């Protein structure tokens, strides 16, 4: 096993974000057989306070050698197995900032603990049966959530709403495998296998897997968000659109073409999906060196974006410059914004219909069209997959890969049954599906997978 899985011992780490002059409390967490001894060595609780599990003590942390006062703090004791890691755990709740928690951590390391590896607290919780693998991953998702919807999805995973159906499907596969293997081993003593029932059960599992797999796109969007680039020629209202959309003055707005010289970013949430909006410099040929750099950055932003908002001026209509920009971005996922409709009586015609690209009419200066824009974005990125299945579920890429393996194995099993091959062949694909389903929850998992998952956690988790 890797070092992070086998090193053992008592571990310690700072469990809260540490920022100078910010945060009133900093927590040092210690887990392992020496945790209580470390607490007794470092912490002095005045009066007759009772040292027992799940009780908070008030006192002072002192250096045992010099008796120098390090901090006035609280001590939380959680004895095994009633703790996050199912080991003895103590937490020193110190004053926030940098120095206090770092000094306390150093004392813990000097008196029997070692510095925790990234995600090692959660790893121990998994190895000790406190969490399954989907719940452990949900903790990381909750910490990194960029929207309320992402946090809600992570909480659903933490509550076991993904693990429960996966375990049920795996149990059904095991039952089917047992029935088949019984016929192989005791063919003369048992009635023939009910092939119609077996086929129905496998097809039912396949349908359930398809439903869960349909949440993968939603999960990816909730975790990573969407990058949207606003592009167009100068002075079509790109910056006004960003300001109206973000409800702030993020970008400078003037009547002078070429005002925006660099990419301006804004973080928004649309329909629960985190969105990074990039307002780019107007794309045009120019001799101005600074503006030329901005134009190149605009082109690069459009290439890297998940979705491009090509903005045109309703007064000018579709121009040759718009056509040139369109040729550069037409292969991207694209929405056309016709801005400044407040200045015209009729919306100008475009060289394509709304069936080719979604079209949104807007008057950014008056906050008109923003709701229609958000609806068009959700329609563009959502599709049927994001609306399918339980909205609480949102699987990640690792889980999707394992479930896809299970689905392929079961589809091969149905082919084997249709071709009337011997029962031994059925069991091969069923075992493959069982193993793949076990990889999702952690019942079947390799050390390298665990290392990859938990190494992405912060050190105190």
């Amino acid at each position: 096993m890797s070092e992070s899985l086998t090193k053992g011992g008592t571990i310690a780490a700072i469990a809260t974000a540490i920022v100078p002059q910010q945060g009133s409390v900093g927590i040092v967490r210690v887990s392992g057989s020496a945790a209580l001894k470390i607490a007794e060595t470092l912490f002095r609780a005045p009066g007759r306070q009772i040292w027992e599990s799940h009780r908070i003590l008030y006192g002072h942390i002192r250096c045992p050698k010099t008796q120098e006062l390090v901090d006035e703090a609280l001590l939380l004791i959680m004895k095994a197995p009633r703790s996050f890691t199912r080991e003895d755990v103590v937490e020193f709740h110190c004053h926030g900032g940098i120095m206090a928690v770092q000094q306390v951590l150093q004392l813990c390391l000097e008196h029997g603990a070692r510095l925790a590896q990234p995600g090692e607290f959660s790893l121990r919780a998994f190895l000790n049966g406190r969490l399954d693998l989907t719940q452990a991953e949900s903790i990381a998702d909750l910490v990194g959530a960029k929207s309320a919807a992402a946090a809600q999805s992570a909480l659903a995973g933490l509550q076991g709403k993904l693990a429960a159906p996966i375990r049920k499907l795996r149990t059904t596969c095991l039952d089917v495998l047992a029935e088949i293997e019984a016929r192989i081993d005791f063919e003369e003593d048992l009635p023939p296998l009910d092939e119609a029932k077996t086929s129905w059960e496998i097809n039912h599992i396949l349908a359930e897997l398809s439903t869960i797999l349909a949440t993968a796109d939603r999960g990816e969007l909730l975790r990573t968000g969407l990058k949207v680039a606003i592009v167009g020629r100068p002075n079509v209202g790109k910056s006004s659109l960003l300001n109206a959309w973000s409800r702030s003055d993020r970008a400078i707005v003037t009547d002078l073409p070429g005002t925006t010289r660099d990419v301006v970013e804004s973080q928004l949430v649309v329909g629960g999906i985190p969105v990074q909006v990039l307002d780019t410099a107007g794309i045009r040929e120019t001799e101005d060196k600074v503006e030329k750099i901005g134009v190149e950055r605009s082109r690069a932003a459009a290439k890297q974006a998940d979705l491009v908002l090509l903005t045109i001026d309703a007064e000018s209509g579709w121009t040759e410059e718009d056509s040139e920009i369109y040729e550069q971005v037409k292969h991207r996922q694209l929405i056309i914004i016709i801005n400044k409709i407040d200045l015209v009586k009729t919306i100008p015609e475009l060289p394509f219909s709304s069936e080719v690209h979604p079209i949104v009419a807007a008057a950014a200066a008056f906050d008109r069209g923003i709701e229609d824009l958000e609806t068009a974005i959700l329609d563009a990125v959502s599709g049927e997959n994001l609306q399918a299945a339980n909205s609480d579920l949102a699987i990640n890429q690792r889980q999707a890969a394992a479930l896809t393996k299970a689905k392929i194995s079961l589809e091969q099993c149905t082919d084997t049954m249709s071709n009337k091959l011997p029962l031994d062949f059925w069991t091969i694909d069923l075992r493959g599906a069982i193993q793949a389903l076990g990889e999702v929850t952690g019942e079947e998992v390799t050390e390298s997978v665990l290392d990859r998952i938990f190494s992405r956690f912060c050190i105190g988790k």
Side-chain angles (χ1 to χ4, degrees):
M1 275 196 174
S2 67
E3 183 181 18
S4 63
L5 290 177
T6 60
K7 201 169 182 180
T10 299
I11 57 174
I14 298 172
T16 48
I18 303 302
V19 181
Q21 299 179 338
Q22 295 185 30
S24 60
V25 177
I27 298 175
V28 176
R29 178 178 294 156
V30 185
S31 177
S33 58
L36 292 175
K37 183 179 179 181
I38 291 172
E40 291 168 354
T41 302
L42 304 181
F43 194 80
R44 297 288 179 267
R48 298 181 179 180
Q49 300 180 63
I50 302 174
W51 287 64
E52 63 182 17
S53 186
H54 293 79
R55 180 182 288 269
I56 296 177
L57 305 179
Y58 161 78
H60 300 86
I61 301 169
R62 294 183 180 274
C63 174
K65 293 181 180 179
T66 65
Q67 290 303 306
E68 180 182 354
L69 178 65
V70 175
D71 196 13
E72 181 182 25
L74 300 176
L75 176 68
L76 172 60
I77 302 170
M78 293 170 280
K79 292 184 179 180
R82 294 174 59 207
S83 72
F84 177 66
T85 60
R86 284 194 172 167
E87 301 174 333
D88 286 342
V89 172
V90 297
E91 290 182 352
F92 297 94
H93 291 232
C94 313
H95 285 94
I98 295 179
M99 293 311 302
V101 288
Q102 287 187 338
Q103 290 182 77
V104 173
L105 175 61
Q106 185 60 39
L107 286 174
C108 291
L109 298 181
E110 291 174 0
H111 290 83
R114 65 171 174 82
L115 186 63
Q117 300 289 327
E120 192 169 359
F121 289 95
S122 297
L123 174 61
R124 290 189 175 199
F126 166 72
L127 293 175
N128 292 330
R130 172 68 171 75
L131 301 171
D132 65 43
L133 207 50
T134 64
Q135 291 174 312
E137 289 175 302
S138 294
I139 290 174
D141 290 339
L142 184 58
V143 172
K146 300 176 183 177
S147 69
Q152 195 62 41
S153 174
L155 283 171
L158 191 55
Q159 292 167 356
K161 290 187 178 181
L162 173 59
I166 298 299
R167 285 203 184 94
K168 186 176 180 181
L169 295 179
R170 189 170 184 268
T171 298
T172 303
C173 285
L174 286 167
D175 292 342
V176 172
L177 178 62
E179 286 290 324
I180 295 173
E181 289 187 330
R183 266 61 183 188
I184 295 173
D185 296 335
F186 308 102
E187 182 178 4
E188 297 179 356
D189 302 324
L190 294 173
L193 181 71
D194 187 341
E195 294 188 16
K197 179 183 177 184
T198 302
S199 177
W200 182 89
E201 288 178 326
I202 292 176
N203 282 313
H204 175 71
I205 296 169
L206 280 169
E208 291 291 320
L209 283 177
S210 296
T211 299
I212 297 172
L213 277 167
T215 69
D217 288 345
R218 178 175 183 269
E220 186 66 15
L221 278 173
L222 289 177
R223 290 179 184 90
T224 63
L226 190 68
K227 184 177 288 188
V228 176
I230 307 174
V231 303
R233 55 191 176 82
N235 215 31
V236 296
K238 299 185 298 298
S239 296
S240 296
L241 182 63
L242 174 63
N243 289 345
W245 195 3
S246 62
R247 295 176 176 82
S248 67
D249 293 330
R250 295 282 297 171
I252 298 173
V253 178
T254 74
D255 294 330
L256 299 174
T259 300
T260 303
R261 296 297 185 95
D262 204 348
V263 176
V264 179
E265 296 185 14
S266 187
Q267 303 294 332
L268 305 174
V269 176
V270 178
I273 299 172
V275 177
Q276 179 188 16
V277 185
L278 308 175
D279 172 29
T280 65
I283 299 176
R284 66 173 177 175
E285 295 301 323
T286 178
E287 296 301 320
D288 185 304
K289 290 184 179 180
V290 176
E291 187 179 356
K292 185 176 289 187
I293 294 172
V295 170
E296 289 306 313
R297 290 185 179 180
S298 298
R299 293 192 174 109
K303 289 179 181 178
Q304 296 170 3
D306 302 303
L307 181 65
V308 174
L309 308 181
L310 175 54
T311 308
I312 70 168
D313 186 336
E315 268 195 309
S316 304
W318 187 267
T319 67
E320 185 177 341
E321 290 86 351
D322 294 323
S323 295
E324 292 175 359
I325 298 171
Y326 175 73
E327 288 299 317
Q328 299 173 38
V329 300
K330 67 180 181 181
H331 300 300
R332 310 293 300 169
Q333 194 162 24
L334 191 64
I335 295 176
I336 308 298
I337 311 293
I338 304 177
N339 194 26
K340 303 183 184 180
I341 59 168
D342 55 299
L343 302 178
V344 297
K345 293 182 178 180
T346 59
I347 295 177
E349 292 187 5
L350 302 179
F352 43 76
S353 69
S354 58
E355 295 178 358
V356 178
H357 302 294
I359 299 172
V360 175
F366 298 95
D367 293 345
R368 289 168 54 188
I370 302 302
E371 290 186 8
D372 293 338
L373 171 59
E374 293 188 346
T375 299
I377 289 173
L378 291 175
D379 289 343
V381 301
S382 297
E384 295 181 359
N385 281 350
L386 296 191
Q387 303 304 323
N390 187 334
S391 61
D392 282 343
L393 297 182
I395 60 176
N396 61 31
Q397 289 182 335
R398 184 197 70 83
Q399 295 159 355
L403 293 178
T404 299
K405 282 198 299 184
K407 186 170 181 283
I408 291 172
S409 293
L410 291 174
E411 288 171 343
Q412 290 172 341
C413 187
T414 59
D415 290 341
T416 300
M417 295 169 63
S418 300
N419 293 327
K420 303 297 181 182
L421 293 176
L423 295 181
D424 303 73
F425 289 87
W426 300 20
T427 63
I428 296 172
D429 295 319
L430 271 172
R431 286 195 184 95
I434 290 166
Q435 180 173 349
L437 291 171
E439 289 175 6
V440 177
T441 55
E443 287 138 315
E444 303 268 357
V445 67
T446 64
E447 297 161 19
S448 60
V449 169
L450 290 179
D451 276 343
R452 191 166 64 250
I453 291 171
F454 288 100
S455 65
R456 294 195 291 263
F457 283 49
C458 58
I459 287 180
K461 265 299 177 187

